Amino acid sequence: MTKQEKLWLTAHALGVSTSEILSRKNFLDEEEKKIRALLSRREGGEPLQYIMGQADFYGRDFFVGPGVLIPRHDTETLIEAAKKIFPPEKNFSFLDWGTGSGCIAITLLLEFKNSRGVMLEQSPEALNYAEKNLRRYELEDRASLNDSSTKIFDLITSNPPYIPSHEIDSLMPEVKNYEPRLALDGGEDGMNFYRLILSEARRILKPEGFIIFELGDLNQYKVFKNSGSEFLFAGEIFDGGNFPRAIILRKRHENF
Ligand code: GLN
């Protein structure tokens, strides 16, 4: 645990600001007890964001907790990808597949004031967080959860589970012991959900509509980059590690 984490957790335990903690000389026994409880959870390996109940994504706070994937900084590349294809005033509909905390969908709604979205999520725990986050940003009228009334979209976004099943055991303990396997395990080659989403996109994505996927590894990247199918490579955004974390695909025109 870093010093900074300790400070955040101490402030969180007492429900006060970090500057108040820094100005305090000592704590009451009862306060010490509360602080200890949170610090020992962190020492046991629980992710900081689960203990704090919040995670930052694209400069905004999102509620998180056990059962939902913690938003990753790398996933912000999906928002950059959307900004590459649509101007800020663009009016469009999107489907966010496997929305988790809702961080991608909600950020799109906030960055593109004329967009509206459907958020899909099969985990009841995650759905609960998506709903809370949607309410937090007062966006209930521009997005709906697991709603099948919209039949066709301009954009599909997804950070699907993409880790090959046999690699799950080698993930960091903080991830594999605490975060939901449902949000990580993408089947034998990690690509089950990409295949599923692409097959659905034949029906629910408009001709010349876009897909923005988060990618997990170079094999997945090569498959999309070289595919000459009905979904064409249309761009990419690199993460801080210089990996093409977000890929943009474009559906061919119907008459092609
Ligand atoms: N990026 C996540 C991780 O590193 C994986 C998320 C996913 O499978 N989509 O653990």
Side-chain angles (χ1 to χ4, degrees):
M1 175 167 31
T2 64
K3 247 179 126 177
Q4 181 65 55
E5 288 185 351
K6 198 168 170 181
L7 177 62
W8 281 327
L9 288 169
T10 305
H12 187 66
L14 304 188
V16 300
S17 67
T18 50
S19 51
E20 180 163 341
I21 297 298
L22 291 170
S23 68
R24 291 275 292 269
K25 297 265 177 308
N26 41 38
F27 298 102
L28 303 172
D29 284 354
E30 181 192 314
E31 290 175 327
E32 284 281 4
K33 229 166 144 185
K34 286 186 189 162
I35 298 166
R36 243 321 74 223
L38 294 200
L39 297 185
S40 61
R41 279 170 68 185
R42 183 70 190 118
E43 278 155 7
E46 188 171 344
L48 176 75
Q49 294 88 339
Y50 281 177
I51 307 173
M52 301 286 290
Q54 304 216 74
D56 170 82
F57 184 78
Y58 216 79
R60 299 183 182 95
D61 279 331
F62 289 84
F63 295 122
V64 295
V68 69
L69 189 82
I70 298 167
R72 309 288 205 260
H73 182 53
D74 287 346
T75 305
E76 294 173 349
T77 54
L78 274 70
I79 308 301
E80 297 306 328
K83 290 189 171 182
K84 200 165 158 170
I85 56 181
F86 292 143
E89 303 304 320
K90 175 86 175 173
N91 180 329
F92 64 93
S93 62
F94 69 86
L95 176 70
D96 184 38
W97 195 302
T99 202
S101 63
C103 64
I104 299 168
I106 290 169
T107 305
L108 288 177
L109 293 167
L110 293 169
E111 297 293 316
F112 296 92
K113 304 283 179 228
N114 298 313
S115 64
R116 66 218 167 273
V118 172
M119 298 149 80
L120 280 192
E121 181 51 59
Q122 54 171 316
S123 147
E125 289 90 1
L127 195 64
N128 185 37
Y129 283 104
E131 205 167 1
K132 273 171 74 179
N133 284 320
L134 203 54
R135 251 185 278 129
R136 175 178 193 153
Y137 289 102
E138 299 178 0
L139 291 167
E140 303 101 306
D141 55 337
R142 289 175 51 212
S144 48
L145 292 152
N146 288 347
D147 170 19
S148 56
S149 59
T150 310
K151 302 285 182 237
I152 191 138
F153 297 89
D154 299 296
L155 169 68
I156 297 174
T157 54
S158 188
N159 171 19
Y162 53 57
I163 306 207
S165 306
H166 64 272
E167 287 178 19
I168 298 279
D169 275 347
S170 56
L171 295 176
M172 291 189 309
E174 228 178 279
V175 177
K176 75 171 172 203
N177 296 339
Y178 287 92
E179 294 196 82
R181 190 173 178 123
L182 192 67
L184 300 167
D185 189 341
E188 200 172 330
D189 61 355
M191 299 202 58
N192 283 0
F193 288 85
Y194 298 118
R195 283 188 283 268
L196 173 67
I197 297 168
L198 287 181
S199 84
E200 287 294 309
R202 299 207 167 93
R203 203 165 42 79
I204 62 172
L205 186 65
K206 287 183 189 165
E208 301 194 297
F210 292 95
I211 297 176
I212 300 174
F213 278 146
E214 174 164 331
L215 299 182
D217 62 37
L218 271 178
N219 288 335
Q220 296 166 358
Y221 175 67
K222 282 180 198 150
V223 169
F224 291 118
K225 181 107 197 215
N226 305 324
S227 86
S229 71
E230 55 198 291
F231 300 101
L232 300 172
F233 173 81
E236 64 208 339
I237 305 284
F238 290 84
D239 65 17
N242 216 23
F243 175 74
R245 188 61 65 184
I247 192 161
I248 306 169
L249 305 175
R250 190 160 200 191
K251 190 176 180 177
R252 287 193 197 220
H253 195 272
E254 247 162 350
N255 299 327
F256 186 85

